[in-house]
Amino acid sequence: GEVAWIHQFGSDRTDNATGVAVARNGDVFVAGWTEGDVGGPNDGGPDGFLGRWTPDGDPVWTSQFGGSGIDFVIGVAADGDGAVAVGSTDGDVAGPSAGGQDAYFVRFDADGAEVGAAQLGGQIHKLDITAKR
């Protein structure tokens, strides 16, 4: 019931953490969006970010991503190999915009390198995502 650690980070602009996930090894992943620079240069409008901390609260890496539009991150999932951030964009985070708001996900490996991404928009009737362990 006691606080193990607290880590505050951000830019000189608006920053929002919108998701947290804990990997099997105890690492903590925090995802959100920023109007500033928290893990790289801002590409215009809000950008998404994903950061990783050790179980002791030591920062490992933070990655910032987005396009020229409004890019929000609304959730994160973690496993032993990294994490996936999911969100919405009116731009081109992981592919061309289908118009309006599109859904996207970006996958990062344990070292913070982007290893996959997809952007979904238009007339989606069924989406089947199967996690492999």
Side-chain angles (χ1 to χ4, degrees), residues 29-61:
F29 290 90
V30 176
W33 59 270
T34 179
E35 293 178 338
D37 302 333
V38 298
N42 186 286
D43 287 326
D47 285 345
F49 70 81
L50 180 66
R52 176 181 168 206
W53 285 261
T54 67
D56 294 325
D58 298 320
V60 179
W61 53 261

PDB file of all heavy atoms in Angstrom, residues 29-61:
ATOM      1  N   PHE A  29       5.244   0.532 -18.787  1.00  0.00           N
ATOM      2  CA  PHE A  29       5.111   1.305 -20.016  1.00  0.00           C
ATOM      3  C   PHE A  29       4.020   2.346 -19.803  1.00  0.00           C
ATOM      4  O   PHE A  29       2.928   2.013 -19.338  1.00  0.00           O
ATOM      5  CB  PHE A  29       4.738   0.402 -21.189  1.00  0.00           C
ATOM      6  CG  PHE A  29       5.845  -0.521 -21.610  1.00  0.00           C
ATOM      7  CD1 PHE A  29       5.978  -1.774 -21.050  1.00  0.00           C
ATOM      8  CD2 PHE A  29       6.756  -0.118 -22.576  1.00  0.00           C
ATOM      9  CE1 PHE A  29       6.995  -2.626 -21.435  1.00  0.00           C
ATOM     10  CE2 PHE A  29       7.784  -0.957 -22.969  1.00  0.00           C
ATOM     11  CZ  PHE A  29       7.904  -2.214 -22.396  1.00  0.00           C
ATOM     12  N   VAL A  30       4.322   3.590 -20.139  1.00  0.00           N
ATOM     13  CA  VAL A  30       3.359   4.684 -20.044  1.00  0.00           C
ATOM     14  C   VAL A  30       3.187   5.272 -21.437  1.00  0.00           C
ATOM     15  O   VAL A  30       4.172   5.568 -22.119  1.00  0.00           O
ATOM     16  CB  VAL A  30       3.821   5.775 -19.064  1.00  0.00           C
ATOM     17  CG1 VAL A  30       2.853   6.956 -19.061  1.00  0.00           C
ATOM     18  CG2 VAL A  30       3.975   5.206 -17.665  1.00  0.00           C
ATOM     19  N   ALA A  31       1.939   5.418 -21.866  1.00  0.00           N
ATOM     20  CA  ALA A  31       1.632   5.970 -23.183  1.00  0.00           C
ATOM     21  C   ALA A  31       0.760   7.205 -23.025  1.00  0.00           C
ATOM     22  O   ALA A  31       0.045   7.354 -22.033  1.00  0.00           O
ATOM     23  CB  ALA A  31       0.916   4.926 -24.038  1.00  0.00           C
ATOM     24  N   GLY A  32       0.813   8.075 -24.008  1.00  0.00           N
ATOM     25  CA  GLY A  32      -0.014   9.274 -23.982  1.00  0.00           C
ATOM     26  C   GLY A  32       0.245  10.126 -25.203  1.00  0.00           C
ATOM     27  O   GLY A  32       0.716   9.651 -26.232  1.00  0.00           O
ATOM     28  N   TRP A  33      -0.062  11.411 -25.056  1.00  0.00           N
ATOM     29  CA  TRP A  33       0.168  12.346 -26.153  1.00  0.00           C
ATOM     30  C   TRP A  33       0.732  13.651 -25.610  1.00  0.00           C
ATOM     31  O   TRP A  33       0.564  13.967 -24.447  1.00  0.00           O
ATOM     32  CB  TRP A  33      -1.099  12.571 -26.970  1.00  0.00           C
ATOM     33  CG  TRP A  33      -2.280  13.104 -26.211  1.00  0.00           C
ATOM     34  CD1 TRP A  33      -3.253  12.383 -25.586  1.00  0.00           C
ATOM     35  CD2 TRP A  33      -2.607  14.476 -25.979  1.00  0.00           C
ATOM     36  NE1 TRP A  33      -4.160  13.204 -24.986  1.00  0.00           N
ATOM     37  CE2 TRP A  33      -3.798  14.506 -25.218  1.00  0.00           C
ATOM     38  CE3 TRP A  33      -2.022  15.682 -26.353  1.00  0.00           C
ATOM     39  CZ2 TRP A  33      -4.407  15.691 -24.810  1.00  0.00           C
ATOM     40  CZ3 TRP A  33      -2.629  16.871 -25.950  1.00  0.00           C
ATOM     41  CH2 TRP A  33      -3.804  16.852 -25.200  1.00  0.00           C
ATOM     42  N   THR A  34       1.418  14.361 -26.489  1.00  0.00           N
ATOM     43  CA  THR A  34       2.074  15.604 -26.095  1.00  0.00           C
ATOM     44  C   THR A  34       1.982  16.627 -27.214  1.00  0.00           C
ATOM     45  O   THR A  34       1.956  16.266 -28.393  1.00  0.00           O
ATOM     46  CB  THR A  34       3.561  15.363 -25.748  1.00  0.00           C
ATOM     47  OG1 THR A  34       4.166  16.612 -25.403  1.00  0.00           O
ATOM     48  CG2 THR A  34       4.323  14.753 -26.914  1.00  0.00           C
ATOM     49  N   GLU A  35       1.930  17.886 -26.846  1.00  0.00           N
ATOM     50  CA  GLU A  35       2.046  18.977 -27.814  1.00  0.00           C
ATOM     51  C   GLU A  35       3.483  19.475 -27.890  1.00  0.00           C
ATOM     52  O   GLU A  35       3.789  20.348 -28.677  1.00  0.00           O
ATOM     53  CB  GLU A  35       1.107  20.115 -27.434  1.00  0.00           C
ATOM     54  CG  GLU A  35      -0.354  19.741 -27.573  1.00  0.00           C
ATOM     55  CD  GLU A  35      -1.302  20.851 -27.161  1.00  0.00           C
ATOM     56  OE1 GLU A  35      -0.890  21.749 -26.380  1.00  0.00           O
ATOM     57  OE2 GLU A  35      -2.454  20.824 -27.608  1.00  0.00           O
ATOM     58  N   GLY A  36       4.354  18.910 -27.067  1.00  0.00           N
ATOM     59  CA  GLY A  36       5.756  19.323 -27.034  1.00  0.00           C
ATOM     60  C   GLY A  36       6.674  18.214 -27.488  1.00  0.00           C
ATOM     61  O   GLY A  36       6.342  17.434 -28.378  1.00  0.00           O
ATOM     62  N   ASP A  37       7.838  18.161 -26.840  1.00  0.00           N
ATOM     63  CA  ASP A  37       8.871  17.182 -27.163  1.00  0.00           C
ATOM     64  C   ASP A  37       9.190  16.377 -25.904  1.00  0.00           C
ATOM     65  O   ASP A  37       9.894  16.865 -25.029  1.00  0.00           O
ATOM     66  CB  ASP A  37      10.150  17.875 -27.643  1.00  0.00           C
ATOM     67  CG  ASP A  37       9.928  18.756 -28.860  1.00  0.00           C
ATOM     68  OD1 ASP A  37       9.002  18.472 -29.630  1.00  0.00           O
ATOM     69  OD2 ASP A  37      10.675  19.742 -29.021  1.00  0.00           O
ATOM     70  N   VAL A  38       8.697  15.144 -25.813  1.00  0.00           N
ATOM     71  CA  VAL A  38       9.018  14.304 -24.661  1.00  0.00           C
ATOM     72  C   VAL A  38       9.888  13.103 -25.032  1.00  0.00           C
ATOM     73  O   VAL A  38      10.460  12.470 -24.162  1.00  0.00           O
ATOM     74  CB  VAL A  38       7.762  13.810 -23.914  1.00  0.00           C
ATOM     75  CG1 VAL A  38       6.971  14.956 -23.349  1.00  0.00           C
ATOM     76  CG2 VAL A  38       6.902  12.923 -24.776  1.00  0.00           C
ATOM     77  N   GLY A  39       9.981  12.787 -26.304  1.00  0.00           N
ATOM     78  CA  GLY A  39      10.790  11.656 -26.740  1.00  0.00           C
ATOM     79  C   GLY A  39      11.256  11.835 -28.163  1.00  0.00           C
ATOM     80  O   GLY A  39      11.554  10.870 -28.856  1.00  0.00           O
ATOM     81  N   GLY A  40      11.303  13.049 -28.610  1.00  0.00           N
ATOM     82  CA  GLY A  40      11.688  13.375 -29.983  1.00  0.00           C
ATOM     83  C   GLY A  40      10.999  14.649 -30.388  1.00  0.00           C
ATOM     84  O   GLY A  40      10.169  15.177 -29.658  1.00  0.00           O
ATOM     85  N   PRO A  41      11.309  15.150 -31.565  1.00  0.00           N
ATOM     86  CA  PRO A  41      10.694  16.407 -31.997  1.00  0.00           C
ATOM     87  C   PRO A  41       9.213  16.229 -32.334  1.00  0.00           C
ATOM     88  O   PRO A  41       8.795  15.185 -32.831  1.00  0.00           O
ATOM     89  CB  PRO A  41      11.496  16.788 -33.250  1.00  0.00           C
ATOM     90  CG  PRO A  41      12.037  15.496 -33.748  1.00  0.00           C
ATOM     91  CD  PRO A  41      12.266  14.635 -32.535  1.00  0.00           C
ATOM     92  N   ASN A  42       8.445  17.256 -32.060  1.00  0.00           N
ATOM     93  CA  ASN A  42       7.023  17.242 -32.377  1.00  0.00           C
ATOM     94  C   ASN A  42       6.834  17.429 -33.874  1.00  0.00           C
ATOM     95  O   ASN A  42       7.461  18.288 -34.484  1.00  0.00           O
ATOM     96  CB  ASN A  42       6.312  18.355 -31.605  1.00  0.00           C
ATOM     97  CG  ASN A  42       4.821  18.301 -31.767  1.00  0.00           C
ATOM     98  OD1 ASN A  42       4.306  18.651 -32.816  1.00  0.00           O
ATOM     99  ND2 ASN A  42       4.129  17.851 -30.739  1.00  0.00           N
ATOM    100  N   ASP A  43       5.934  16.598 -34.450  1.00  0.00           N
ATOM    101  CA  ASP A  43       5.700  16.661 -35.896  1.00  0.00           C
ATOM    102  C   ASP A  43       4.516  17.541 -36.278  1.00  0.00           C
ATOM    103  O   ASP A  43       4.095  17.548 -37.411  1.00  0.00           O
ATOM    104  CB  ASP A  43       5.478  15.248 -36.452  1.00  0.00           C
ATOM    105  CG  ASP A  43       6.756  14.448 -36.491  1.00  0.00           C
ATOM    106  OD1 ASP A  43       7.823  15.048 -36.718  1.00  0.00           O
ATOM    107  OD2 ASP A  43       6.694  13.229 -36.280  1.00  0.00           O
ATOM    108  N   GLY A  44       3.961  18.265 -35.311  1.00  0.00           N
ATOM    109  CA  GLY A  44       2.831  19.147 -35.581  1.00  0.00           C
ATOM    110  C   GLY A  44       1.587  18.638 -34.899  1.00  0.00           C
ATOM    111  O   GLY A  44       1.259  17.462 -34.998  1.00  0.00           O
ATOM    112  N   GLY A  45       0.900  19.476 -34.179  1.00  0.00           N
ATOM    113  CA  GLY A  45      -0.259  19.027 -33.419  1.00  0.00           C
ATOM    114  C   GLY A  45       0.185  18.082 -32.318  1.00  0.00           C
ATOM    115  O   GLY A  45       1.364  17.870 -32.085  1.00  0.00           O
ATOM    116  N   PRO A  46      -0.750  17.478 -31.609  1.00  0.00           N
ATOM    117  CA  PRO A  46      -0.363  16.492 -30.600  1.00  0.00           C
ATOM    118  C   PRO A  46       0.265  15.259 -31.258  1.00  0.00           C
ATOM    119  O   PRO A  46      -0.193  14.810 -32.302  1.00  0.00           O
ATOM    120  CB  PRO A  46      -1.689  16.114 -29.930  1.00  0.00           C
ATOM    121  CG  PRO A  46      -2.615  17.243 -30.238  1.00  0.00           C
ATOM    122  CD  PRO A  46      -2.190  17.758 -31.579  1.00  0.00           C
ATOM    123  N   ASP A  47       1.321  14.741 -30.660  1.00  0.00           N
ATOM    124  CA  ASP A  47       1.970  13.500 -31.066  1.00  0.00           C
ATOM    125  C   ASP A  47       1.786  12.462 -29.961  1.00  0.00           C
ATOM    126  O   ASP A  47       1.638  12.812 -28.792  1.00  0.00           O
ATOM    127  CB  ASP A  47       3.477  13.701 -31.257  1.00  0.00           C
ATOM    128  CG  ASP A  47       3.838  14.427 -32.527  1.00  0.00           C
ATOM    129  OD1 ASP A  47       2.981  14.550 -33.420  1.00  0.00           O
ATOM    130  OD2 ASP A  47       4.996  14.877 -32.624  1.00  0.00           O
ATOM    131  N   GLY A  48       1.878  11.204 -30.325  1.00  0.00           N
ATOM    132  CA  GLY A  48       1.846  10.138 -29.339  1.00  0.00           C
ATOM    133  C   GLY A  48       3.225   9.906 -28.758  1.00  0.00           C
ATOM    134  O   GLY A  48       4.247  10.268 -29.339  1.00  0.00           O
ATOM    135  N   PHE A  49       3.256   9.297 -27.559  1.00  0.00           N
ATOM    136  CA  PHE A  49       4.531   8.878 -26.987  1.00  0.00           C
ATOM    137  C   PHE A  49       4.342   7.572 -26.229  1.00  0.00           C
ATOM    138  O   PHE A  49       3.242   7.224 -25.805  1.00  0.00           O
ATOM    139  CB  PHE A  49       5.153   9.947 -26.076  1.00  0.00           C
ATOM    140  CG  PHE A  49       4.417  10.168 -24.783  1.00  0.00           C
ATOM    141  CD1 PHE A  49       4.611   9.317 -23.686  1.00  0.00           C
ATOM    142  CD2 PHE A  49       3.545  11.220 -24.643  1.00  0.00           C
ATOM    143  CE1 PHE A  49       3.931   9.537 -22.489  1.00  0.00           C
ATOM    144  CE2 PHE A  49       2.867  11.439 -23.458  1.00  0.00           C
ATOM    145  CZ  PHE A  49       3.055  10.596 -22.377  1.00  0.00           C
ATOM    146  N   LEU A  50       5.434   6.857 -26.081  1.00  0.00           N
ATOM    147  CA  LEU A  50       5.476   5.639 -25.279  1.00  0.00           C
ATOM    148  C   LEU A  50       6.809   5.625 -24.561  1.00  0.00           C
ATOM    149  O   LEU A  50       7.853   5.852 -25.178  1.00  0.00           O
ATOM    150  CB  LEU A  50       5.344   4.394 -26.163  1.00  0.00           C
ATOM    151  CG  LEU A  50       5.378   3.056 -25.442  1.00  0.00           C
ATOM    152  CD1 LEU A  50       4.157   2.891 -24.542  1.00  0.00           C
ATOM    153  CD2 LEU A  50       5.441   1.913 -26.438  1.00  0.00           C
ATOM    154  N   GLY A  51       6.771   5.401 -23.247  1.00  0.00           N
ATOM    155  CA  GLY A  51       7.989   5.357 -22.453  1.00  0.00           C
ATOM    156  C   GLY A  51       8.047   4.076 -21.642  1.00  0.00           C
ATOM    157  O   GLY A  51       7.027   3.462 -21.341  1.00  0.00           O
ATOM    158  N   ARG A  52       9.273   3.691 -21.288  1.00  0.00           N
ATOM    159  CA  ARG A  52       9.498   2.467 -20.509  1.00  0.00           C
ATOM    160  C   ARG A  52      10.344   2.791 -19.285  1.00  0.00           C
ATOM    161  O   ARG A  52      11.330   3.524 -19.381  1.00  0.00           O
ATOM    162  CB  ARG A  52      10.210   1.448 -21.387  1.00  0.00           C
ATOM    163  CG  ARG A  52      10.571   0.178 -20.666  1.00  0.00           C
ATOM    164  CD  ARG A  52      11.291  -0.785 -21.593  1.00  0.00           C
ATOM    165  NE  ARG A  52      11.862  -1.866 -20.845  1.00  0.00           N
ATOM    166  CZ  ARG A  52      12.911  -2.565 -21.233  1.00  0.00           C
ATOM    167  NH1 ARG A  52      13.487  -2.313 -22.386  1.00  0.00           N
ATOM    168  NH2 ARG A  52      13.364  -3.534 -20.487  1.00  0.00           N
ATOM    169  N   TRP A  53       9.956   2.232 -18.123  1.00  0.00           N
ATOM    170  CA  TRP A  53      10.682   2.374 -16.877  1.00  0.00           C
ATOM    171  C   TRP A  53      10.933   0.998 -16.281  1.00  0.00           C
ATOM    172  O   TRP A  53      10.129   0.077 -16.474  1.00  0.00           O
ATOM    173  CB  TRP A  53       9.879   3.221 -15.881  1.00  0.00           C
ATOM    174  CG  TRP A  53       9.903   4.669 -16.197  1.00  0.00           C
ATOM    175  CD1 TRP A  53      10.689   5.615 -15.623  1.00  0.00           C
ATOM    176  CD2 TRP A  53       9.119   5.359 -17.178  1.00  0.00           C
ATOM    177  NE1 TRP A  53      10.446   6.842 -16.197  1.00  0.00           N
ATOM    178  CE2 TRP A  53       9.479   6.712 -17.154  1.00  0.00           C
ATOM    179  CE3 TRP A  53       8.142   4.951 -18.097  1.00  0.00           C
ATOM    180  CZ2 TRP A  53       8.918   7.662 -17.988  1.00  0.00           C
ATOM    181  CZ3 TRP A  53       7.586   5.894 -18.931  1.00  0.00           C
ATOM    182  CH2 TRP A  53       7.968   7.229 -18.866  1.00  0.00           C
ATOM    183  N   THR A  54      12.019   0.857 -15.539  1.00  0.00           N
ATOM    184  CA  THR A  54      12.315  -0.410 -14.868  1.00  0.00           C
ATOM    185  C   THR A  54      11.374  -0.578 -13.674  1.00  0.00           C
ATOM    186  O   THR A  54      10.725   0.386 -13.243  1.00  0.00           O
ATOM    187  CB  THR A  54      13.769  -0.440 -14.353  1.00  0.00           C
ATOM    188  OG1 THR A  54      13.901   0.527 -13.297  1.00  0.00           O
ATOM    189  CG2 THR A  54      14.760  -0.176 -15.465  1.00  0.00           C
ATOM    190  N   PRO A  55      11.327  -1.774 -13.096  1.00  0.00           N
ATOM    191  CA  PRO A  55      10.504  -1.962 -11.895  1.00  0.00           C
ATOM    192  C   PRO A  55      10.920  -1.057 -10.731  1.00  0.00           C
ATOM    193  O   PRO A  55      10.122  -0.796  -9.838  1.00  0.00           O
ATOM    194  CB  PRO A  55      10.728  -3.440 -11.540  1.00  0.00           C
ATOM    195  CG  PRO A  55      11.076  -4.093 -12.837  1.00  0.00           C
ATOM    196  CD  PRO A  55      11.872  -3.050 -13.585  1.00  0.00           C
ATOM    197  N   ASP A  56      12.165  -0.554 -10.742  1.00  0.00           N
ATOM    198  CA  ASP A  56      12.638   0.352  -9.692  1.00  0.00           C
ATOM    199  C   ASP A  56      12.366   1.820 -10.011  1.00  0.00           C
ATOM    200  O   ASP A  56      12.737   2.700  -9.230  1.00  0.00           O
ATOM    201  CB  ASP A  56      14.138   0.159  -9.464  1.00  0.00           C
ATOM    202  CG  ASP A  56      14.446  -1.224  -8.906  1.00  0.00           C
ATOM    203  OD1 ASP A  56      13.640  -1.755  -8.126  1.00  0.00           O
ATOM    204  OD2 ASP A  56      15.507  -1.768  -9.272  1.00  0.00           O
ATOM    205  N   GLY A  57      11.769   2.106 -11.181  1.00  0.00           N
ATOM    206  CA  GLY A  57      11.430   3.474 -11.543  1.00  0.00           C
ATOM    207  C   GLY A  57      12.474   4.206 -12.354  1.00  0.00           C
ATOM    208  O   GLY A  57      12.361   5.410 -12.568  1.00  0.00           O
ATOM    209  N   ASP A  58      13.499   3.503 -12.812  1.00  0.00           N
ATOM    210  CA  ASP A  58      14.525   4.146 -13.633  1.00  0.00           C
ATOM    211  C   ASP A  58      14.047   4.239 -15.078  1.00  0.00           C
ATOM    212  O   ASP A  58      13.600   3.238 -15.659  1.00  0.00           O
ATOM    213  CB  ASP A  58      15.825   3.345 -13.586  1.00  0.00           C
ATOM    214  CG  ASP A  58      16.401   3.277 -12.184  1.00  0.00           C
ATOM    215  OD1 ASP A  58      16.352   4.305 -11.482  1.00  0.00           O
ATOM    216  OD2 ASP A  58      16.892   2.197 -11.796  1.00  0.00           O
ATOM    217  N   PRO A  59      14.127   5.417 -15.705  1.00  0.00           N
ATOM    218  CA  PRO A  59      13.705   5.539 -17.102  1.00  0.00           C
ATOM    219  C   PRO A  59      14.641   4.757 -18.021  1.00  0.00           C
ATOM    220  O   PRO A  59      15.857   4.766 -17.829  1.00  0.00           O
ATOM    221  CB  PRO A  59      13.773   7.037 -17.381  1.00  0.00           C
ATOM    222  CG  PRO A  59      14.617   7.618 -16.312  1.00  0.00           C
ATOM    223  CD  PRO A  59      14.585   6.686 -15.150  1.00  0.00           C
ATOM    224  N   VAL A  60      14.060   4.071 -19.010  1.00  0.00           N
ATOM    225  CA  VAL A  60      14.828   3.300 -19.980  1.00  0.00           C
ATOM    226  C   VAL A  60      14.837   4.024 -21.320  1.00  0.00           C
ATOM    227  O   VAL A  60      15.889   4.261 -21.901  1.00  0.00           O
ATOM    228  CB  VAL A  60      14.269   1.869 -20.134  1.00  0.00           C
ATOM    229  CG1 VAL A  60      15.051   1.074 -21.167  1.00  0.00           C
ATOM    230  CG2 VAL A  60      14.256   1.155 -18.788  1.00  0.00           C
ATOM    231  N   TRP A  61      13.658   4.382 -21.834  1.00  0.00           N
ATOM    232  CA  TRP A  61      13.546   5.118 -23.079  1.00  0.00           C
ATOM    233  C   TRP A  61      12.155   5.729 -23.195  1.00  0.00           C
ATOM    234  O   TRP A  61      11.223   5.294 -22.539  1.00  0.00           O
ATOM    235  CB  TRP A  61      13.846   4.260 -24.308  1.00  0.00           C
ATOM    236  CG  TRP A  61      13.071   2.964 -24.415  1.00  0.00           C
ATOM    237  CD1 TRP A  61      13.528   1.730 -24.074  1.00  0.00           C
ATOM    238  CD2 TRP A  61      11.737   2.769 -24.902  1.00  0.00           C
ATOM    239  NE1 TRP A  61      12.550   0.783 -24.300  1.00  0.00           N
ATOM    240  CE2 TRP A  61      11.444   1.390 -24.820  1.00  0.00           C
ATOM    241  CE3 TRP A  61      10.754   3.615 -25.395  1.00  0.00           C
ATOM    242  CZ2 TRP A  61      10.216   0.847 -25.201  1.00  0.00           C
ATOM    243  CZ3 TRP A  61       9.525   3.071 -25.780  1.00  0.00           C
ATOM    244  CH2 TRP A  61       9.281   1.706 -25.687  1.00  0.00           C
TER     245      TRP A  61
END
